[in-house]
Amino acid sequence: MNTRLIRFAPLVAVPLLLLIVPVTSCSRVEPGHVGIKVNNFGSAAGVSDASLGVGWYFTPFGTNIYQYPVYTSTYAWTRTSAEQSETNEEFNFQDRNGLNLSADVSVAYRVDPVRAPILFQKYRTEMGGIVAGPLRNAVRSALNEEAAKLGVEEIYGPRKAALINLVRADVARYFEPFGLHVEQLYWASNIRVPDQVLAQINTKIANEQAALAAQANVATVKANADAQIAQAEGKARASQIEGDALRANPEILRQRAIEKWDGKLPTYLGGGQLPFIVQPQ
């Protein structure tokens, strides 16, 4: 082998390494994210107390940068493979009588950039792992706890929104100290109940609606009858008042007759006084 090439090879390799090492030893924090620097070796091993903003950072061997989103992100836990996971991620829970229910739930969250290192120190994983693990478990636990206080008719009906709001409050209160803001939690589907129970609920609702409609009809009929009675009583009272007034003041009849007279004297063959004609005194 040519000894010149052997002596020349290290001279070529060194500049190449100088070019490659800086590139392979840098990591970038993407826009909309905050970085958490983790050293695995040496006296400085551990999680950095300060988060990193957008940009390039030197990450030598044994150093990693994890990224958390500081913008609002969403995730839907559903039973359909057409959503964000191919596996069934629906939530199963029970009402206060032990009836099995299920539903899909969506969450909106973001990470506090200042407390992002605390979140990593707590769970030691990237955001997808937190959503799939600790966050999902917290939602499931709170949902089971809050739903167990209600009956199925309340959960399926008037307390549906209140239930998911209580769950969100419980989950948000738990994660807030670690820098994970749970902004919103909402039903991503109708609450699923057994078909037989659903039929009973729908029948009850239909009966209640029919009863309310019947009550409204009765109220309408009664109101119309009361109005007619009041109208008749008003007319009768007016007639009575008018009759009393005429009896007390007979001249009113004569005055009304004069007011209606067309000026023509009636044809009268008798020998007495013409009606409604006042004789001079």
Side-chain angles (χ1 to χ4, degrees), residues 52 94 152 173 211:
L52 305 176
Q94 296 180 334
V152 62
R173 186 165 48 249

Side-chain angles (χ1 to χ4, degrees), residues 47 51 55 113 132 180 192 230 233 262 267:
V47 180
S51 56
L180 179 59
R192 292 183 280 273
E233 290 178 345
D262 59 3
T267 302

